[in-house]
Amino acid sequence: MSNKRNNPAVDETCARIESVLGESDAYRKVEDGLYVIKQGSAYVMVNVLPWGEDRAVVRCAAQVLVGVDRSLDLAWDLLKLNSMMRFGSFAFVPDGNRIYFIHAILGGETLDAEEIVATVAQVALVADEYDDKIAAVYGGRRMQDLLEEQALS
């Protein structure tokens, strides 16, 4: 669904993202306002969302693990990790027992190329760094593992 008539900041943000990331072999446009970028073992979903009628938000999320053993210890460990992150945070989604690393930035006219690249890179680096560490303690499978299993089947 296009936001062309609804929110010019969304359109401007999408154009900027496509311009900045579009030359990379790791970049794919899924649909208007939704992109995926592969870096290391992480896949970062970049979603441009309207914020009111004249602003936009860029939400970057990397699935760290799926099928994690849910526990109070896991919740505490994710909260401790969140307190140490420069930006972004870990989130647990009960559907599929998934862990994500997520960060959002403002879109629109103030969004610049360096901010887009830095945000996507940092989200991917954190997901890539912590997927093995968290899986070693709580189980689960990395996004890379899931995709390789699907490709082989």
Coordinates of all heavy atoms in Angstrom, one line a residue, residues 17-91:
I17 N 16.0 6.3 1.3 CA 16.5 5.0 1.6 C 16.9 4.2 0.3 O 18.0 3.6 0.2 CB 15.5 4.2 2.4 CG1 15.5 4.7 3.8 CG2 15.8 2.7 2.4 CD1 14.3 4.2 4.7
E18 N 16.0 4.3 -0.7 CA 16.3 3.6 -2.0 C 17.5 4.2 -2.7 O 18.3 3.4 -3.3 CB 15.0 3.7 -2.9 CG 13.9 2.9 -2.3 CD 12.6 3.0 -3.1 OE1 12.6 3.5 -4.2 OE2 11.5 2.7 -2.4
S19 N 17.7 5.5 -2.6 CA 18.9 6.1 -3.2 C 20.2 5.7 -2.5 O 21.2 5.4 -3.1 CB 18.7 7.6 -3.1 OG 19.9 8.3 -3.5
V20 N 20.1 5.6 -1.1 CA 21.3 5.3 -0.4 C 21.7 3.9 -0.4 O 22.8 3.5 -0.6 CB 21.1 5.8 1.1 CG1 22.3 5.3 2.0 CG2 21.1 7.3 1.2
L21 N 20.7 3.0 -0.3 CA 21.0 1.6 -0.2 C 20.8 0.8 -1.5 O 21.3 -0.3 -1.6 CB 20.0 0.9 0.9 CG 20.2 1.5 2.3 CD1 19.1 0.8 3.2 CD2 21.6 1.3 2.9
G22 N 20.2 1.4 -2.4 CA 19.8 0.7 -3.7 C 21.0 0.2 -4.5 O 20.7 -0.8 -5.2
E23 N 22.2 0.7 -4.4 CA 23.3 0.2 -5.1 C 23.9 -1.1 -4.5 O 24.7 -1.7 -5.2 CB 24.4 1.3 -5.3 CG 23.9 2.5 -6.0 CD 23.5 2.2 -7.4 OE1 24.2 1.4 -8.1 OE2 22.4 2.7 -7.9
S24 N 23.6 -1.4 -3.3 CA 24.2 -2.5 -2.6 C 23.6 -3.8 -3.1 O 22.4 -4.0 -3.2 CB 24.0 -2.4 -1.1 OG 24.3 -3.6 -0.4
D25 N 24.4 -4.9 -3.3 CA 24.0 -6.2 -3.6 C 23.2 -6.8 -2.4 O 22.4 -7.8 -2.6 CB 25.1 -7.1 -4.0 CG 25.8 -6.7 -5.3 OD1 25.1 -6.1 -6.1 OD2 27.0 -7.0 -5.5
A26 N 23.4 -6.3 -1.2 CA 22.7 -6.9 0.0 C 21.3 -6.3 0.2 O 20.6 -6.8 1.0 CB 23.6 -6.6 1.2
Y27 N 20.9 -5.4 -0.7 CA 19.7 -4.7 -0.5 C 18.6 -5.2 -1.4 O 18.8 -5.6 -2.5 CB 19.9 -3.2 -0.9 CG 18.7 -2.4 -1.2 CD1 18.0 -1.7 -0.2 CD2 18.2 -2.3 -2.5 CE1 16.8 -0.9 -0.5 CE2 17.1 -1.5 -2.8 CZ 16.4 -0.9 -1.9 OH 15.3 -0.1 -2.2
R28 N 17.4 -5.4 -0.8 CA 16.2 -5.8 -1.6 C 15.0 -5.0 -1.2 O 14.8 -4.8 0.0 CB 15.8 -7.3 -1.4 CG 16.9 -8.2 -1.9 CD 17.0 -8.2 -3.5 NE 18.0 -9.2 -3.9 CZ 19.3 -8.8 -4.2 NH1 19.7 -7.6 -3.9 NH2 20.1 -9.7 -4.6
K29 N 14.3 -4.5 -2.2 CA 13.0 -3.8 -1.9 C 11.9 -4.9 -1.9 O 11.7 -5.6 -2.9 CB 12.7 -2.7 -2.9 CG 11.4 -2.0 -2.7 CD 11.2 -0.9 -3.7 CE 9.9 -0.2 -3.4 NZ 9.7 1.0 -4.3
V30 N 11.2 -5.0 -0.8 CA 10.2 -6.0 -0.6 C 8.9 -5.4 -1.2 O 8.2 -6.1 -2.0 CB 10.0 -6.4 0.8 CG1 8.8 -7.4 1.0 CG2 11.3 -7.0 1.4
E31 N 8.5 -4.2 -0.8 CA 7.4 -3.5 -1.3 C 7.6 -2.0 -0.9 O 8.6 -1.7 -0.2 CB 6.1 -4.0 -0.7 CG 6.0 -3.9 0.8 CD 4.8 -4.6 1.4 OE1 4.4 -5.7 1.0 OE2 4.2 -4.0 2.3
D32 N 6.7 -1.1 -1.3 CA 6.8 0.3 -0.9 C 7.0 0.4 0.6 O 6.1 -0.1 1.3 CB 5.6 1.1 -1.4 CG 5.6 1.3 -2.9 OD1 6.7 1.1 -3.5 OD2 4.6 1.7 -3.4
G33 N 8.0 1.0 1.0 CA 8.2 1.3 2.4 C 8.8 0.1 3.2 O 8.9 0.2 4.4
L34 N 9.1 -1.0 2.6 CA 9.7 -2.2 3.3 C 10.9 -2.7 2.5 O 10.8 -3.1 1.3 CB 8.6 -3.3 3.4 CG 9.1 -4.5 4.2 CD1 9.5 -4.2 5.6 CD2 7.9 -5.5 4.2
Y35 N 12.0 -2.8 3.2 CA 13.3 -3.2 2.5 C 14.0 -4.2 3.4 O 13.7 -4.3 4.7 CB 14.2 -2.0 2.4 CG 13.5 -0.8 1.8 CD1 12.9 0.1 2.6 CD2 13.3 -0.7 0.4 CE1 12.2 1.2 2.1 CE2 12.6 0.4 -0.1 CZ 12.1 1.3 0.7 OH 11.4 2.4 0.2
V36 N 14.8 -5.0 2.8 CA 15.7 -6.0 3.6 C 17.1 -5.8 3.2 O 17.4 -5.7 2.0 CB 15.2 -7.4 3.5 CG1 15.3 -8.0 2.1 CG2 15.9 -8.3 4.5
I37 N 18.0 -5.9 4.1 CA 19.4 -5.8 3.9 C 20.1 -6.9 4.6 O 19.9 -7.1 5.8 CB 20.0 -4.4 4.4 CG1 19.4 -3.2 3.6 CG2 21.5 -4.4 4.2 CD1 18.2 -2.7 4.2
K38 N 21.0 -7.7 3.9 CA 21.7 -8.8 4.6 C 23.1 -8.3 4.9 O 23.8 -7.7 4.1 CB 21.8 -10.0 3.7 CG 22.6 -11.1 4.3 CD 22.8 -12.3 3.4 CE 23.4 -13.5 4.0 NZ 24.5 -13.2 4.9
Q39 N 23.5 -8.5 6.2 CA 24.9 -8.2 6.6 C 25.3 -9.3 7.6 O 24.7 -9.5 8.6 CB 24.9 -6.8 7.3 CG 26.3 -6.4 7.6 CD 26.4 -5.0 8.0 OE1 25.5 -4.2 7.7 NE2 27.5 -4.6 8.7
G40 N 26.4 -10.0 7.3 CA 26.8 -11.1 8.1 C 25.7 -12.2 8.2 O 25.1 -12.5 7.1
S41 N 25.4 -12.7 9.4 CA 24.3 -13.7 9.5 C 23.0 -13.0 9.8 O 22.0 -13.7 10.0 CB 24.6 -14.7 10.6 OG 24.7 -14.0 11.8
A42 N 22.9 -11.7 9.7 CA 21.7 -10.9 10.0 C 21.0 -10.4 8.8 O 21.7 -10.1 7.8 CB 22.1 -9.8 11.0
Y43 N 19.7 -10.3 8.9 CA 18.9 -9.7 7.9 C 18.1 -8.5 8.6 O 17.4 -8.8 9.5 CB 17.9 -10.6 7.3 CG 18.5 -11.7 6.4 CD1 19.2 -12.8 6.9 CD2 18.5 -11.5 5.0 CE1 19.8 -13.7 6.1 CE2 19.1 -12.4 4.2 CZ 19.8 -13.5 4.7 OH 20.4 -14.5 3.9
V44 N 18.3 -7.3 8.1 CA 17.7 -6.2 8.7 C 16.5 -5.8 7.9 O 16.6 -5.5 6.7 CB 18.7 -5.0 8.9 CG1 18.0 -3.8 9.5 CG2 19.9 -5.4 9.7
M45 N 15.3 -5.7 8.5 CA 14.1 -5.3 7.8 C 14.0 -3.8 8.1 O 14.1 -3.4 9.3 CB 12.9 -6.0 8.4 CG 12.9 -7.5 8.2 SD 13.0 -8.0 6.4 CE 11.5 -7.5 5.8
V46 N 13.9 -3.0 7.1 CA 13.8 -1.5 7.2 C 12.3 -1.2 6.8 O 12.0 -1.4 5.6 CB 14.8 -0.8 6.4 CG1 14.6 0.7 6.5 CG2 16.2 -1.2 6.8
N47 N 11.6 -0.6 7.7 CA 10.2 -0.3 7.5 C 9.9 1.2 7.7 O 10.3 1.7 8.8 CB 9.3 -1.2 8.4 CG 7.9 -1.2 8.0 OD1 7.5 -0.6 7.0 ND2 7.1 -1.9 8.8
V48 N 9.4 1.8 6.7 CA 9.1 3.3 6.8 C 7.6 3.4 7.2 O 6.8 2.9 6.4 CB 9.4 4.0 5.5 CG1 9.0 5.5 5.6 CG2 10.9 3.9 5.1
L49 N 7.4 4.0 8.3 CA 6.0 4.1 8.8 C 5.6 5.6 8.9 O 6.4 6.4 9.3 CB 5.9 3.5 10.2 CG 6.4 2.0 10.2 CD1 6.6 1.6 11.6 CD2 5.4 1.1 9.5
P50 N 4.3 5.9 8.6 CA 3.9 7.3 8.9 C 3.8 7.6 10.4 O 3.5 6.7 11.2 CB 2.5 7.3 8.2 CG 2.1 5.9 8.2 CD 3.3 5.0 8.1
W51 N 4.1 8.8 10.7 CA 3.9 9.3 12.1 C 3.1 10.5 12.0 O 3.6 11.6 11.6 CB 5.2 9.5 12.7 CG 5.2 10.0 14.2 CD1 4.1 9.9 15.0 CD2 6.2 10.6 14.9 NE1 4.5 10.4 16.2 CE2 5.7 10.9 16.2 CE3 7.5 11.0 14.6 CZ2 6.5 11.5 17.2 CZ3 8.3 11.6 15.5 CH2 7.8 11.8 16.8
G52 N 1.8 10.4 12.2 CA 0.9 11.5 12.0 C 0.7 11.7 10.5 O 0.9 10.8 9.7
E53 N 0.4 13.0 10.1 CA 0.1 13.3 8.7 C 1.3 13.8 8.0 O 1.3 13.8 6.7 CB -1.0 14.3 8.6 CG -2.3 13.7 9.1 CD -3.5 14.7 9.0 OE1 -3.3 15.7 8.2 OE2 -4.5 14.5 9.7
D54 N 2.4 14.2 8.7 CA 3.5 14.9 8.0 C 4.9 14.4 8.5 O 5.8 15.1 8.2 CB 3.3 16.4 8.1 CG 3.4 16.8 9.6 OD1 3.3 16.0 10.5 OD2 3.4 18.1 9.8
R55 N 4.9 13.3 9.2 CA 6.2 12.8 9.6 C 6.4 11.4 9.3 O 5.4 10.7 9.1 CB 6.5 13.1 11.1 CG 6.6 14.6 11.4 CD 6.8 14.8 12.9 NE 5.6 14.7 13.6 CZ 5.4 14.8 14.9 NH1 6.5 15.1 15.6 NH2 4.2 14.7 15.5
A56 N 7.6 10.8 9.4 CA 7.8 9.4 9.2 C 8.8 8.9 10.2 O 9.7 9.6 10.7 CB 8.3 9.2 7.7
V57 N 8.8 7.6 10.4 CA 9.7 6.9 11.3 C 10.3 5.7 10.4 O 9.6 5.1 9.7 CB 9.0 6.3 12.5 CG1 9.9 5.4 13.3 CG2 8.5 7.4 13.4
V58 N 11.6 5.5 10.6 CA 12.3 4.4 10.0 C 12.6 3.4 11.1 O 13.3 3.7 12.0 CB 13.6 4.8 9.3 CG1 14.3 3.6 8.6 CG2 13.3 5.9 8.3
R59 N 11.9 2.2 11.0 CA 12.1 1.2 12.0 C 13.0 0.1 11.4 O 12.6 -0.5 10.4 CB 10.7 0.6 12.4 CG 10.8 -0.4 13.5 CD 9.4 -0.8 13.9 NE 9.3 -1.7 15.0 CZ 9.2 -3.0 14.9 NH1 9.1 -3.6 13.7 NH2 9.2 -3.8 15.9
C60 N 14.1 -0.2 12.0 CA 15.1 -1.2 11.6 C 15.0 -2.3 12.6 O 15.2 -2.1 13.8 CB 16.5 -0.7 11.5 SG 16.7 0.6 10.3
A61 N 14.7 -3.6 12.1 CA 14.6 -4.7 13.0 C 15.3 -5.9 12.4 O 15.2 -6.2 11.2 CB 13.1 -5.0 13.3
A62 N 16.1 -6.6 13.2 CA 16.8 -7.8 12.8 C 16.3 -8.9 13.7 O 16.4 -8.8 14.9 CB 18.3 -7.7 12.9
Q63 N 15.8 -10.0 13.1 CA 15.5 -11.2 13.9 C 16.8 -11.8 14.3 O 17.6 -12.2 13.5 CB 14.7 -12.2 13.1 CG 14.3 -13.4 13.9 CD 13.3 -14.3 13.1 OE1 12.2 -13.9 12.9 NE2 13.8 -15.4 12.7
V64 N 17.0 -11.9 15.6 CA 18.2 -12.5 16.2 C 18.1 -14.0 16.2 O 18.9 -14.7 15.8 CB 18.5 -11.9 17.6 CG1 19.8 -12.5 18.2 CG2 18.7 -10.4 17.5
L65 N 17.0 -14.5 16.9 CA 16.8 -15.9 17.0 C 15.3 -16.2 17.0 O 14.4 -15.4 17.2 CB 17.3 -16.4 18.4 CG 18.8 -16.3 18.6 CD1 19.1 -16.5 20.1 CD2 19.5 -17.3 17.8
V66 N 15.0 -17.5 16.6 CA 13.6 -18.0 16.7 C 13.6 -19.3 17.4 O 14.6 -20.0 17.4 CB 13.0 -18.1 15.3 CG1 13.7 -19.2 14.5 CG2 11.5 -18.5 15.3
G67 N 12.6 -19.6 18.2 CA 12.5 -20.8 18.9 C 13.3 -20.8 20.2 O 13.8 -21.9 20.6
V68 N 13.4 -19.7 20.8 CA 14.2 -19.5 22.0 C 13.4 -20.0 23.2 O 12.2 -19.9 23.3 CB 14.6 -18.0 22.3 CG1 15.4 -17.8 23.5 CG2 15.3 -17.5 21.1
D69 N 14.1 -20.7 24.2 CA 13.5 -21.1 25.4 C 13.1 -19.9 26.2 O 14.0 -19.2 26.7 CB 14.4 -22.1 26.2 CG 14.7 -23.4 25.4 OD1 13.8 -23.8 24.7 OD2 15.7 -23.9 25.6
R70 N 11.9 -19.6 26.4 CA 11.4 -18.5 27.1 C 11.5 -18.7 28.6 O 11.1 -19.8 29.1 CB 9.9 -18.2 26.8 CG 9.3 -17.0 27.5 CD 8.0 -16.6 27.0 NE 7.1 -17.8 26.7 CZ 5.9 -17.6 26.3 NH1 5.4 -16.4 26.1 NH2 5.2 -18.7 26.0
S71 N 12.1 -17.7 29.3 CA 12.3 -17.9 30.8 C 12.5 -16.5 31.4 O 12.8 -15.5 30.7 CB 13.5 -18.8 31.1 OG 14.7 -18.1 30.7
L72 N 12.4 -16.5 32.7 CA 12.6 -15.2 33.4 C 14.1 -14.8 33.3 O 14.4 -13.6 33.2 CB 12.2 -15.4 34.9 CG 12.3 -14.1 35.8 CD1 11.4 -13.0 35.2 CD2 11.9 -14.5 37.2
D73 N 15.0 -15.8 33.3 CA 16.4 -15.5 33.1 C 16.7 -14.8 31.8 O 17.5 -13.9 31.7 CB 17.3 -16.8 33.3 CG 17.3 -17.3 34.7 OD1 17.1 -16.5 35.6 OD2 17.7 -18.5 34.9
L74 N 16.0 -15.3 30.7 CA 16.2 -14.7 29.4 C 15.7 -13.2 29.5 O 16.4 -12.3 29.0 CB 15.4 -15.5 28.4 CG 15.3 -14.8 27.0 CD1 16.7 -14.7 26.3 CD2 14.3 -15.6 26.1
A75 N 14.5 -13.0 30.1 CA 14.0 -11.6 30.2 C 15.0 -10.7 30.9 O 15.3 -9.6 30.4 CB 12.7 -11.6 30.9
W76 N 15.5 -11.2 32.0 CA 16.5 -10.4 32.7 C 17.8 -10.1 31.9 O 18.3 -9.0 31.9 CB 16.9 -11.0 34.1 CG 15.8 -10.8 35.1 CD1 15.1 -11.8 35.8 CD2 15.4 -9.6 35.7 NE1 14.2 -11.2 36.6 CE2 14.4 -9.8 36.7 CE3 15.8 -8.2 35.5 CZ2 13.8 -8.9 37.4 CZ3 15.1 -7.2 36.2 CH2 14.1 -7.6 37.2
D77 N 18.3 -11.1 31.3 CA 19.5 -11.0 30.5 C 19.3 -10.0 29.3 O 20.1 -9.2 29.0 CB 20.0 -12.3 29.9 CG 20.7 -13.1 31.0 OD1 21.0 -12.6 32.1 OD2 20.9 -14.3 30.7
L78 N 18.1 -10.0 28.7 CA 17.8 -9.1 27.6 C 17.7 -7.7 28.1 O 18.2 -6.7 27.5 CB 16.5 -9.5 26.8 CG 16.6 -10.8 26.0 CD1 15.3 -11.0 25.4 CD2 17.7 -10.7 25.0
L79 N 17.1 -7.5 29.3 CA 17.0 -6.2 29.9 C 18.4 -5.7 30.3 O 18.7 -4.5 30.1 CB 16.1 -6.2 31.2 CG 14.6 -6.3 30.9 CD1 13.9 -6.5 32.2 CD2 14.2 -5.0 30.2
K80 N 19.3 -6.5 30.8 CA 20.6 -6.1 31.1 C 21.4 -5.7 29.8 O 22.1 -4.7 29.8 CB 21.4 -7.2 31.8 CG 21.0 -7.4 33.2 CD 21.9 -8.4 33.9 CE 21.1 -9.5 34.5 NZ 21.9 -10.6 35.0
L81 N 21.2 -6.5 28.8 CA 21.8 -6.1 27.5 C 21.3 -4.8 27.0 O 22.1 -3.9 26.5 CB 21.6 -7.2 26.4 CG 22.4 -8.5 26.6 CD1 21.9 -9.5 25.6 CD2 23.9 -8.2 26.4
N82 N 20.0 -4.5 27.1 CA 19.4 -3.3 26.7 C 20.0 -2.1 27.4 O 20.2 -1.0 26.8 CB 17.9 -3.3 26.9 CG 17.2 -4.1 25.8 OD1 17.7 -4.5 24.8 ND2 15.9 -4.4 26.1
S83 N 20.4 -2.3 28.7 CA 20.9 -1.2 29.4 C 22.3 -0.8 29.0 O 22.8 0.3 29.3 CB 20.9 -1.5 30.9 OG 21.9 -2.4 31.2
M84 N 23.0 -1.7 28.2 CA 24.4 -1.5 27.8 C 24.4 -1.0 26.3 O 25.5 -0.7 25.8 CB 25.2 -2.8 28.0 CG 25.3 -3.2 29.4 SD 26.4 -4.6 29.6 CE 25.7 -5.8 28.6
M85 N 23.3 -1.1 25.6 CA 23.3 -0.8 24.2 C 23.5 0.7 23.9 O 22.9 1.5 24.7 CB 22.1 -1.3 23.5 CG 21.9 -2.8 23.4 SD 23.2 -3.5 22.3 CE 23.8 -4.7 23.4
R86 N 24.3 1.1 23.0 CA 24.4 2.5 22.6 C 23.1 3.0 22.1 O 22.7 4.1 22.4 CB 25.5 2.5 21.5 CG 25.9 3.8 21.0 CD 26.9 3.7 19.9 NE 27.3 2.3 19.6 CZ 28.4 1.9 19.1 NH1 29.4 2.8 18.8 NH2 28.7 0.7 18.9
F87 N 22.4 2.2 21.3 CA 21.1 2.6 20.8 C 20.4 1.3 20.5 O 21.0 0.2 20.3 CB 21.0 3.6 19.7 CG 21.6 3.1 18.4 CD1 20.9 2.2 17.6 CD2 22.8 3.6 17.9 CE1 21.4 1.8 16.4 CE2 23.3 3.1 16.7 CZ 22.6 2.2 16.0
G88 N 19.1 1.3 20.3 CA 18.4 0.1 20.0 C 18.1 -0.8 21.2 O 18.6 -0.5 22.3
S89 N 17.3 -1.8 21.0 CA 17.0 -2.7 22.1 C 16.6 -4.1 21.6 O 16.1 -4.2 20.5 CB 15.9 -2.1 23.0 OG 14.7 -1.9 22.3
F90 N 16.8 -5.0 22.5 CA 16.3 -6.4 22.2 C 14.8 -6.5 22.6 O 14.4 -5.8 23.5 CB 17.1 -7.4 23.0 CG 18.4 -7.6 22.5 CD1 19.5 -6.9 23.1 CD2 18.7 -8.5 21.5 CE1 20.8 -7.1 22.7 CE2 20.0 -8.7 21.0 CZ 21.0 -8.0 21.6
A91 N 14.1 -7.3 21.9 CA 12.6 -7.5 22.1 C 12.3 -8.9 22.0 O 12.9 -9.6 21.2 CB 11.8 -6.7 21.2

